[in-house]
Amino acid sequence: PTAPNGETAMSSDQPVTDTWITTKVKSELATTDGVKSMDIGVKTIDGMVTLTGVLASDIAVKKAVAVTEAVKGVKKVDATGLKARG
C-alpha cells in the first residue's frame, strides 16, 4: 500500500496519524547530533507540529526544525516556542 504522498506506508494502508508523526519526530530528534531531544516538547495537530523548549544554540533549534520538517506527513512546523539559551 502507498500513502497519499506516494511513499510506501510503514505497516498498513492507514494514513499517517498525528500520534505517529509525534513519535517519529521525537525519535528523529533523539538521534540528531547537538539536539537535546529531552528538552523539546512535540505536539502534532492535523499534521502541524509545534515544537517547544529551550535548546543550547540557534544551530540546535535550526537542526530540530529541519529534522521535523523532513518527517513524512508533517505539513508545517511551528517553532515559535523553541528558543535558544542566552
Side-chain angles (χ1 to χ4, degrees):
T2 55
N5 61 5
E7 289 184 37
T8 303
M10 291 281 291
S11 57
S12 71
D13 57 0
Q14 294 300 307
V16 175
T17 64
D18 290 341
T19 306
W20 184 89
I21 291 170
T22 299
T23 303
K24 180 73 174 155
V25 167
K26 284 183 176 177
S27 69
E28 291 293 319
L29 290 171
T31 59
T32 303
D33 285 342
V35 176
K36 289 249 191 307
S37 60
M38 301 306 290
D39 295 345
I40 304 174
V42 181
K43 192 168 84 180
T44 309
I45 299 169
D46 295 331
M48 185 174 142
V49 181
T50 302
L51 301 176
T52 53
V54 180
L55 297 178
S57 67
D58 286 332
I59 291 169
V61 171
K62 285 187 177 84
K63 274 189 183 180
V65 172
V67 164
T68 302
E69 287 173 340
V71 171
K72 187 177 79 166
V74 173
K75 294 185 180 88
K76 188 166 184 278
V77 178
D78 176 4
T80 53
L82 195 61
K83 306 280 186 236
R85 268 187 208 99

